[in-house]
Amino acid sequence: MSQVVQSRRLRAVDLARFKAEGRKIISLTAYHAHTASILDEHCDFILVGDSLGMVMHGMESTLPVTLEMMIVQAQAVMRGTTKALVVVDMPFGSYEASREQAFLNAARVLKETGAGAIKMEGGAAFAETVAFLTQRGVPVMGHIGLTPQSVNTMGGFKVQGRGAEGERKLLEDARAISEAGAFAIVLEGIVEPVARAICASPDVTALTIGIGATAECDGQILVLEDMLGLNDRVPKFVKRFGSLRGQIAEAVEHYAEEVRAGRFPADEHTYPAR
């Protein structure tokens, strides 16, 4: 049987079909056209995460990231892809003030980038905003558990869901965001039994995307630079599928040695007169 060729970019509704077919959803983050083009062949959706503040700009948290930064990087990712659904993070301060603010900024993101969905952090307190957006044609991915934009109120990057109250709150958050119309929810840094309970809950119909959660999620996501071994310090939930930091350092060292020794550029790297 010949393979079916994908004729259009994936949309949020397609991911629900993958779940119905028993297919795990694959995702990674990307901020550049060239890396996004590599991911496009393998990922169902690519997240342009506000993690770019820490990964690309060396910020201590995601809080300083602006809407303009997200739009520029999302435009780059869109230029590098043709197949995957592209989801863009709404940065801190771009949606919390009101549901109207959230809609105006989400609409700007979708219009100026061509992306297929936005992602918002927050649980039950933002369910009304999620509903407001989805009712107006904005596909929303939720994000609960360890929410980096709340790092100051959480007291750091701490695992969530420990204790009866922690479990109750996360189940309530997942249920509220799902009922509000989110097509998917990222579960980050949540103790495995609680994350598994969320995935098994009949009240949570949104797709579950894990990052430091459970293998029971409908899909998984990691920060690309973390899983490639480009960052020295990564969370426990990251598995390094590559070790590019060492390879890059070795290549740069080799380059520097050849330049100092006058071996680069060689004749084959220069242009003759004729």
Side-chain angles (χ1 to χ4, degrees):
M1 182 180 295
S2 61
Q3 186 175 4
V4 176
V5 178
Q6 183 179 311
S7 59
R8 62 165 175 80
R9 188 184 291 273
L10 291 173
R11 301 187 181 106
V13 293
D14 294 312
L15 302 190
R17 174 169 53 83
F18 294 164
K19 177 180 180 178
E21 295 171 352
R23 169 179 164 183
K24 289 286 189 179
I25 296 164
I26 312 302
S27 178
L28 289 165
T29 62
Y31 322 113
H32 316 94
H34 55 84
T35 50
S37 67
I38 299 171
L39 272 54
D40 199 35
E41 292 295 319
H42 307 282
C43 291
D44 300 309
F45 79 88
I46 294 172
L47 174 66
V48 185
D50 60 359
S51 51
L52 65 86
M54 303 172 76
V55 174
M56 292 180 60
H57 299 283
M59 297 172 177
E60 292 186 0
S61 73
T62 64
L63 298 181
V65 175
T66 65
L67 193 67
E68 287 70 24
M69 291 168 68
M70 296 305 307
I71 288 172
V72 168
Q73 302 308 145
Q75 289 169 338
V77 169
M78 287 296 293
R79 285 193 290 268
T81 59
T82 60
K83 299 179 180 180
L85 166 69
V86 174
V87 181
V88 183
D89 256 335
M90 297 293 290
F92 179 72
S94 67
Y95 62 92
E96 295 91 341
S98 68
R99 57 187 190 177
E100 289 80 12
Q101 178 206 32
F103 175 75
L104 289 174
N105 285 329
R108 182 183 170 194
V109 168
L110 298 187
K111 284 184 176 184
E112 295 186 23
T113 68
I118 59 95
K119 181 172 77 64
M120 287 173 39
E121 293 186 10
F126 289 96
E128 184 179 340
T129 300
V130 172
F132 190 82
L133 296 185
T134 58
Q135 290 165 9
R136 285 158 179 78
V138 179
V140 177
M141 177 177 289
H143 183 160
I144 65 171
L146 198 172
T147 46
Q149 293 177 14
S150 302
V151 61
N152 289 332
T153 55
M154 284 184 171
F157 296 96
K158 296 182 177 180
V159 175
Q160 301 295 303
R162 292 197 168 112
E165 177 59 22
E167 178 176 4
R168 183 201 63 76
K169 183 181 185 303
L170 285 173
L171 282 165
E172 178 185 340
D173 285 341
R175 185 182 308 112
I177 295 299
S178 180
E179 291 177 352
F183 73 92
I185 307 172
V186 172
L187 309 182
E188 180 171 0
I190 298 175
V191 293
E192 200 278 338
V194 175
R196 187 166 8 104
I198 292 172
C199 294
S201 172
D203 296 324
V204 180
T205 57
L207 300 168
T208 52
I209 308 297
I211 177 167
T214 175
E216 296 301 311
C217 286
D218 299 313
Q220 299 292 329
I221 187 169
L222 285 174
V223 171
L224 179 66
E225 287 75 6
D226 287 349
M227 59 89 74
L228 289 179
L230 285 170
N231 295 326
D232 282 334
R233 298 178 62 185
V234 296
K236 174 185 178 181
F237 57 72
V238 173
K239 177 177 179 179
R240 287 191 170 111
F241 289 83
S243 54
L244 296 193
R245 187 180 182 90
Q247 294 179 36
I248 292 172
E250 183 179 351
V252 172
E253 181 182 10
H254 189 200
Y255 162 75
E257 289 174 352
E258 291 209 359
V259 171
R260 293 190 187 101
R263 296 194 301 272
F264 178 82
D267 289 344
E268 63 265 32
H269 306 121
T270 59
Y271 299 97
R274 297 180 63 180

